[in-house]
Amino acid sequence: MKIGVSTASLYPLHLEDAFSELAKLGIKNAEVFANSMTEGGEPCVSLVSKIQQRYGMTVTSFHPFSSPMESVFLFSDYDRRIDEMMTMYRGFFESMNTLGAKIFVLHGAILSSKCSPEHYCRQYRLLAEAGREYGITVAQENVCYCMSGRLEFLEMMKRELGELARFVLDLKQARRSGEDPFNYITSLGNSIVHCHVSDGNDKHDCLPVGDGCFDFPRLVRELSGVGFDGAYIIELYRNNYNGFDTLKESADRLAEIVCSQM
């Protein structure tokens, strides 16, 4: 079971600097969050790859800065914008192959978009099939301000798309949507291939592991029960913690919990 940290947690450090900080902390698995076109291509990807090789790290997943654009590009009905985003994302898939990342994190259309469920599934299929050409799994994340923030929408995707429908379970986003994250596991089962981890309590929806009251042992048991073999990636906002050491402490605490439940 892979346990790691997203470079997004170190924003606004540049990607290669954030990745280097994680490497020096002893983090062995990381999600790459590209905050610009530059960070999704060369020479930045090669810089990250060199750090990765030097420290023996695995890049589990890739999350693009372009998520807010997906509504008016990929999930629009305007062919030129769709083509432009597909070209951009194919470039990201190539970068993922350089890094060995297998999961591409998708936010999708926002709640206020006029995208119908039928069109959404059609466009998701387009991207997912392109990802497969590169050996990449496109995975829909539950995001509170997107259509994907509703569990019933994700259930519809699973019905309509079958094995192409793969999901990222984000704990803080479930809290923000007012959803019980364990309901996602019950409903989506082995279609969940990746997990964004944070703790929380009644006052804060995103905290380091151990600083809240979330039932992580139950999370591990229930995900293991549906055959989850993806990565648990710590994803915090920079104002949710103090020093970078906290990221390593969160990963270590989570590793202890995972080991105790296996």
Side-chain angles (χ1 to χ4, degrees):
M1 195 70 67
K2 293 183 174 66
I3 296 167
V5 179
S6 171
T7 61
S9 304
L10 292 83
Y11 182 88
L13 287 188
H14 289 163
L15 171 59
E16 63 273 26
D17 296 329
F19 198 85
S20 180
E21 288 291 339
L22 294 181
K24 288 184 286 188
L25 285 170
I27 301 294
K28 290 302 181 183
N29 302 289
E31 176 170 292
V32 161
F33 193 107
N35 276 300
S36 68
M37 285 297 297
T38 300
E39 294 183 352
E42 296 297 345
C44 190
V45 168
S46 287
L47 291 174
V48 172
S49 181
K50 288 178 181 178
I51 299 167
Q52 178 185 8
Q53 293 171 27
R54 178 182 175 188
Y55 286 90
M57 295 175 69
T58 297
V59 176
T60 62
S61 43
F62 183 96
H63 197 321
F65 74 96
S66 49
S67 296
M69 301 160 54
E70 289 164 358
S71 296
V72 294
F73 278 76
L74 180 62
F75 291 95
S76 74
D77 56 5
Y78 198 76
D79 58 347
R80 286 176 173 169
R81 288 203 300 265
I82 294 168
D83 290 345
E84 287 173 0
M85 180 152 275
M86 288 297 296
T87 298
M88 180 195 302
Y89 280 10
R90 283 179 180 274
F92 290 161
F93 294 158
E94 291 178 358
S95 294
M96 290 174 68
N97 280 338
T98 298
L99 298 172
K102 296 300 182 184
I103 303 294
F104 182 86
V105 181
L106 182 75
H107 280 194
I110 60 175
L111 278 170
S112 61
S113 70
K114 297 180 180 179
C115 183
S116 69
E118 294 77 17
H119 186 65
Y120 194 102
C121 287
R122 185 160 54 248
Q123 297 309 101
Y124 177 92
R125 182 184 296 276
L126 179 68
L127 185 64
E129 290 179 344
R132 283 190 167 188
E133 295 173 18
Y134 294 82
I136 301 299
T137 297
V138 173
Q140 174 70 68
E141 183 176 26
N142 59 295
V143 181
C144 65
Y145 56 84
C146 292
M147 296 174 72
S148 62
R150 296 170 296 164
L151 177 54
E152 62 182 326
F153 185 83
L154 303 182
E155 292 171 334
M156 178 279 296
M157 288 183 65
K158 183 175 180 179
R159 285 195 308 272
E160 297 299 321
L161 291 161
E163 65 174 11
L164 272 183
R166 293 293 181 262
F167 302 100
V168 179
L169 173 58
D170 188 299
L171 301 181
K172 64 181 172 300
Q173 292 293 338
R175 296 181 192 111
R176 292 179 175 184
S177 296
E179 296 270 11
D180 183 342
F182 296 108
N183 289 341
Y184 287 82
I185 301 172
T186 300
S187 295
L188 304 178
N190 64 4
S191 296
I192 298 173
V193 295
H194 195 62
C195 187
H196 282 160
V197 174
S198 59
D199 210 337
N201 57 31
D202 291 340
K203 295 183 179 179
H204 302 282
D205 57 27
C206 187
L207 293 169
V209 174
D211 286 8
C213 56
F214 184 72
D215 191 345
F216 285 105
R218 181 184 174 189
L219 176 73
V220 174
R221 289 195 304 271
E222 294 204 11
L223 280 175
S224 297
V226 296
F228 179 77
D229 62 356
Y232 291 96
I233 297 295
I234 307 293
E235 187 186 61
L236 304 176
Y237 299 116
R238 189 63 188 87
N239 62 347
N240 296 138
Y241 68 95
N242 294 318
F244 292 154
D245 286 350
T246 303
L247 298 173
K248 180 64 162 61
E249 291 167 3
S250 283
D252 288 345
R253 287 172 185 160
L254 187 58
E256 292 176 2
I257 293 168
V258 170
C259 288
S260 72
Q261 300 301 314
M262 302 301 286

